[in-house]
């Protein structure tokens, strides 16, 4: 029988519930347990695939091609859980399924209601994750903040779960804010009391409270929270602000949160001190020996969450190279206005991430030209690769007006274009090339050197592809097509001869990078940047 941990959030959003869940996963995995994590999202979209990054942040793509919430990225970075399309459930998916069943007549004349039909569907999806993962611990993050109308069916399903699965197999964790009020010089527990009160009205008494706070929680404050919220004092966990998210498992471990959870579940597990995580990840994040500066040329740079996995992958590459990667966020439209030289002059590497739509494209192209001509290490991701192809076609191969048909349908030289199979598609949701595909890498290429092998699997999320009609022309001028998806002969990796590190990929390597296992494309990129610094 798997054990289920439900994690809710109170007071305000953005308290780091995803990281708290991932960290709980990490400390339990360290005890030898097989864990998986899932997120229940209260919005009505079927998935976040069609949402604007300003609304939602990054869309994280799983190996099996689901477009999911970025918290699933934290789950994969902190743990070894294999996250699939089942691990992100939205209100939209739940209602979609229930309404389809109703139309088929599966409910045999019944009135379809939130309880039990919607809640049964939710519980079924939680059990499904347990089943396909065969995990011993299933951590279920409930999106939103307690008190929201939208999340009520999920909370109700979580409440019912204890009835079905039993007390010893279910645990409720509530993440809350204990604010410090400067003028009073005090930290305040009232919002937490109210939030737990609201949960109790729904029928959930949390077993563990994780308190986000700027200041330490004194013994007195913990006692007060314990008394008013009806939670054992040891189970009131302090989660003070830290410099790196990767410290959070250590913060929890330091308060024996793993033991508290195991004893609730009546589980006895091997000992772990998390020293390996501390040495390999935390120490190196906090005390690096070197530093290097990378320009990140995007259009959603004002939003911390829009390129989450890419920022994390850069940090992982820093860990591997014992250096702090300072990210200079450059708005590609600023490059359009002011040119690249001033904005990119002090950087040792240039990264162009993925994206959609024409806005900011010409700035990205200028940044890539600058990287190519000045032999600055360059890494292009997805749209970044497409822009590198456009730049090279226009400025090296003399293909004037070369473009992607995404930006100009009737361009003279469609060097990036749609495959026939994409041309007829009218639905935007879930119809891109999504998920993992194999990529064969040519020997004696930079890509081969980077990966150290000839066959890799990488995750995709795009509609447009390199147009093979232009391959010969570009090859003649020393562009190398080093990675190919064999079954359809699609270009996956490009690079340039005679440049220290110029590589761009049609896929998203950032989704597979972990703090203790950085993705080689990022690791070698930062290494090349450091070499440039030394030269
Ligand atoms: N807009 C491009 C495409 O659809 C690139 C997508 C991306 O960068 N994820 O092909």
């Amino acid at each position: 029988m798997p054990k289920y941990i439900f994690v809710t959030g109170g007071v305000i959003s953005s308290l780091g519930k995803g990281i708290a869940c991932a960290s709980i996963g990490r400390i339990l995995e360290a005890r030898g347990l097989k864990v998986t994590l899932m997120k229940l999202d209260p919005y009505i979209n079927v998935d976040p695939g069609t949402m604007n990054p300003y609304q939602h942040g990054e869309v994280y793509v799983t190996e099996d091609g689901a477009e999911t919430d970025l918290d699933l990225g934290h789950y994969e970075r902190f743990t070894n859980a294999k996250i699939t399309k089942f691990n992100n459930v939205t209100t939209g998916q739940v209602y979609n399924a229930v309404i389809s069943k109703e139309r088929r007549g599966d409910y045999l004349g019944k009135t379809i209601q939130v309880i039990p039909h919607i809640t049964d569907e939710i519980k079924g999806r939680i059990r499904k994750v347990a089943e396909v993962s065969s995990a011993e611990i299933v951590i279920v993050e409930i999106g939103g903040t307690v008190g929201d109308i939208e999340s009520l069916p999920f909370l109700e399903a979580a409440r019912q779960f204890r009835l079905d699965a039993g007390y010893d197999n279910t645990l409720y964790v509530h993440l809350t804010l204990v604010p410090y009020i400067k003028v009073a010089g005090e930290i305040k527990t009232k919002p937490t009391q109210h939030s737990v009160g609201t949960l109790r009205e729904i029928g959930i008494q949390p077993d563990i409270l994780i308190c986000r706070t700027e200041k330490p929680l004194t013994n007195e404050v913990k006692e007060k929270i314990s008394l008013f919220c009806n939670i054992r004092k040891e189970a009131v966990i302090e989660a003070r602000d830290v410099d790196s998210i990767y410290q959070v498992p250590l913060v929890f471990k330091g308060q024996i949160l793993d033991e508290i959870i195991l004893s609730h579940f009546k589980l006895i597990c091997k000992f772990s001190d998390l020293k390996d995580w501390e040495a390999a990840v935390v120490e190196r994040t906090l005390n690096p020996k070197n530093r290097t500066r990378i320009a990140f040329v995007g259009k959603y740079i004002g939003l911390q969450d829009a390129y989450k996995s890419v920022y994390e992958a850069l940090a992982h590459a820093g860990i591997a190279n014992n250096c702090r990667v300072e990210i200079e966020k450059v708005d590609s439209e600023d490059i359009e206005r002011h040119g690249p030289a001033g904005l990119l002059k002090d950087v040792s590497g240039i990264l162009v991430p993925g994206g959609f739509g024409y806005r900011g494209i010409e700035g990205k192209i200028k940044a890539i030209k600058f990287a190519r001509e000045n032999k600055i290490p360059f890494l292009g991701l997805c749209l970044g690769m497409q822009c590198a192809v456009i730049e090279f076609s226009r400025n090296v191969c003399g293909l004037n007006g070369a473009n992607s048909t995404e930006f100009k349908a009737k361009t003279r030289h469609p060097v990036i274009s749609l495959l026939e199979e994409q041309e007829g598609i009218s639905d935007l949701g879930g119809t891109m090339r999504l998920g993992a595909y194999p990529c064969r890498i040519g020997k004696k290429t930079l890509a081969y050197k980077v990966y150290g092998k000839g066959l890799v699997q990488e995750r995709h999320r795009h509609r447009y592809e390199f147009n093979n009609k232009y391959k010969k022309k570009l090859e003649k001028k020393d562009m190398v097509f080093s990675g190919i998806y064999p079954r359809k002969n699609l270009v996956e990796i490009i690079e340039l001869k005679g440049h220290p590190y110029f590589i761009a990929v049609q896929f998203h390597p950032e989704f597979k990078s972990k703090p203790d296992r950085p993705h080689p494309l990022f690791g070698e990129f930062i290494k090349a940047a450091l070499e440039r610094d030394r030269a």
Side-chain angles (χ1 to χ4, degrees):
M1 176 82 172
K3 312 278 186 187
Y4 297 88
I5 303 177
F6 293 92
V7 182
T8 53
V11 184
I12 57 168
S13 59
S14 303
L15 289 179
K17 218 184 317 145
I19 289 165
C21 291
S23 301
I24 292 172
R26 181 76 216 182
I27 58 176
L28 294 179
E29 203 170 70
R31 303 295 300 265
L33 289 162
K34 180 163 184 188
V35 305
T36 193
L37 299 102
M38 69 185 293
K39 177 149 193 210
L40 308 179
D41 270 314
Y43 50 72
I44 298 173
N45 303 60
V46 169
D47 61 43
T50 56
M51 279 190 229
N52 181 314
Y54 281 118
Q55 293 273 311
H56 186 272
E58 170 186 273
V59 172
Y60 186 78
V61 181
T62 58
E63 203 71 1
D64 64 349
E67 297 174 274
T68 72
D69 187 81
L70 57 82
D71 279 329
L72 280 81
H74 295 310
Y75 305 165
E76 287 204 317
R77 287 188 282 272
F78 279 70
T79 73
N80 292 307
K82 299 247 172 316
I83 301 296
T84 70
K85 60 175 187 270
F86 299 114
N87 296 53
N88 196 183
V89 174
T90 68
T91 297
Q93 285 170 24
V94 170
Y95 275 83
N96 221 0
V98 170
I99 291 170
S100 303
K101 285 184 198 165
E102 186 273 334
R103 291 290 82 185
R104 273 203 313 264
D106 291 3
Y107 294 112
L108 299 173
K110 292 224 177 71
T111 307
I112 311 308
Q113 295 180 298
V114 173
I115 306 171
H117 301 98
I118 295 295
T119 48
D120 279 354
E121 180 68 31
I122 296 168
K123 288 190 288 178
R125 282 166 183 255
I126 296 170
R127 274 189 231 102
K128 175 89 186 172
V129 168
E131 186 192 306
V132 297
S133 65
S134 63
E136 295 159 286
I137 307 275
V138 183
I139 301 171
V140 185
E141 176 182 352
I142 301 181
T145 308
V146 167
D148 295 347
I149 293 176
E150 292 91 345
S151 54
L152 276 175
F154 290 126
L155 294 169
E156 169 62 15
R159 178 194 72 79
Q160 293 174 16
F161 223 93
R162 184 163 269 181
L163 277 182
D164 304 345
Y167 180 86
D168 291 353
N169 299 318
T170 47
L171 181 81
Y172 300 111
V173 177
H174 189 54
L175 179 72
T176 171
L177 176 72
V178 182
Y180 173 69
I181 307 298
K182 221 175 171 179
V183 282
E186 269 182 71
I187 53 178
K188 292 292 183 187
T189 64
K190 192 73 82 191
T192 297
Q193 295 174 37
H194 280 304
S195 175
V196 171
T198 308
L199 258 184
R200 284 209 300 246
E201 274 172 33
I202 302 165
I204 295 175
Q205 164 65 56
D207 303 295
I208 293 171
L209 212 53
I210 299 179
C211 304
R212 284 300 309 275
T213 168
E214 275 176 65
K215 305 270 174 196
L217 296 186
T218 59
N219 202 28
E220 205 187 336
V221 169
K222 277 196 180 181
E223 266 165 12
K224 190 167 171 190
I225 294 175
S226 162
L227 182 66
F228 281 93
C229 299
N230 197 27
I231 291 167
R232 285 190 306 140
K233 199 175 109 196
E234 316 77 79
V236 177
I237 306 290
E238 171 192 300
R240 220 184 317 159
D241 300 347
V242 280
D243 293 327
S244 158
I245 54 171
Y246 298 117
Q247 285 169 276
V248 179
L250 298 178
V251 169
F252 288 175
K253 178 79 193 171
Q255 296 170 77
I256 59 163
L257 181 57
D258 53 342
E259 271 310 321
I260 295 170
I261 295 172
L262 295 182
S263 82
H264 176 95
F265 286 144
K266 302 197 166 58
L267 289 173
I268 295 165
C269 296
K270 70 163 196 190
F271 175 77
S272 150
D273 55 10
L274 237 56
K275 282 277 178 263
D276 48 349
W277 178 263
E278 188 170 5
V281 178
V282 178
E283 257 311 301
R284 287 172 142 240
T285 304
L286 299 180
N287 304 307
K289 289 219 163 50
N290 301 304
R291 49 172 221 103
T292 192
R293 213 168 167 69
I294 301 296
F296 190 104
V297 184
K299 69 174 171 181
Y300 297 111
I301 50 161
L303 185 76
Q304 188 54 28
D305 277 352
Y307 305 106
K308 192 93 209 167
S309 296
V310 188
Y311 294 146
E312 289 306 312
L314 284 169
H316 305 160
I319 293 173
N321 288 286
N322 206 348
C323 87
R324 184 180 314 283
V325 178
E326 293 171 359
I327 301 177
E328 174 82 37
K329 295 177 184 170
V330 182
D331 188 331
S332 46
E333 286 177 294
D334 282 344
I335 297 187
E336 284 168 19
R337 285 189 283 268
H338 309 296
L343 288 160
L344 302 176
K345 68 174 188 301
D346 292 329
V347 302
S348 311
I350 296 175
L351 186 147
V352 177
F356 295 84
Y358 182 61
R359 187 167 66 79
I361 291 298
E362 296 301 332
K364 290 179 181 173
I365 291 173
K366 283 192 176 134
I368 295 168
K369 179 167 187 265
F370 189 79
R372 178 175 58 76
E373 291 179 342
N374 295 290
K375 300 223 184 311
I376 301 170
F378 166 73
L379 179 59
L381 310 174
C382 205
L383 180 69
M385 184 198 100
Q386 298 176 354
C387 288
V389 167
I390 296 169
E391 190 280 316
F392 195 78
S393 306
R394 288 183 190 172
N395 300 328
V396 180
C397 305
L399 299 169
N400 288 337
N403 216 330
S404 161
T405 55
E406 178 181 2
F407 313 132
K408 197 162 185 215
K410 298 231 156 24
T411 171
R412 262 214 308 181
H413 293 293
V415 289
I416 305 291
S417 62
L418 281 185
L419 291 185
E420 235 166 67
E421 65 198 42
Q422 278 283 346
E423 260 162 19
I425 291 177
S426 58
D427 271 8
L428 289 184
T431 55
M432 284 187 259
R433 178 146 86 109
L434 288 166
Y437 285 86
C439 167
R440 189 165 289 292
I441 299 175
K443 290 239 168 78
K444 297 203 185 113
T445 60
L446 174 63
Y448 197 93
K449 222 171 95 194
V450 167
Y451 278 102
K453 56 184 172 189
L455 187 65
V456 296
Q457 291 270 346
E458 294 284 5
R459 298 183 196 174
H460 291 252
R461 180 172 186 255
H462 60 102
R463 221 177 278 287
Y464 294 82
E465 305 281 353
F466 175 76
N467 183 347
N468 280 329
K469 282 189 204 129
Y470 288 91
K471 209 170 185 176
K472 283 222 168 72
K473 276 209 171 77
L474 273 60
E475 265 171 346
K476 249 197 214 133
K477 295 283 183 185
D478 282 355
M479 180 166 272
V480 180
F481 296 90
S482 50
I484 302 289
Y485 167 44
R487 208 164 69 81
K488 291 198 171 161
N489 192 26
L490 297 177
V491 168
E492 298 277 26
I493 310 178
I494 63 159
E495 52 192 74
L496 288 183
K497 279 189 201 151
H499 188 290
Y501 195 90
F502 189 106
I503 193 159
V505 295
Q506 186 56 78
F507 46 80
H508 290 275
E510 66 271 24
F511 294 141
K512 290 180 83 160
S513 185
K514 293 181 181 241
D516 45 355
R517 274 161 284 166
H519 193 289
L521 283 166
F522 284 87
E524 293 300 306
F525 172 54
I526 294 304
K527 195 166 147 202
L530 283 168
E531 271 159 23
R532 184 181 165 87
D533 293 338
R534 273 185 219 115

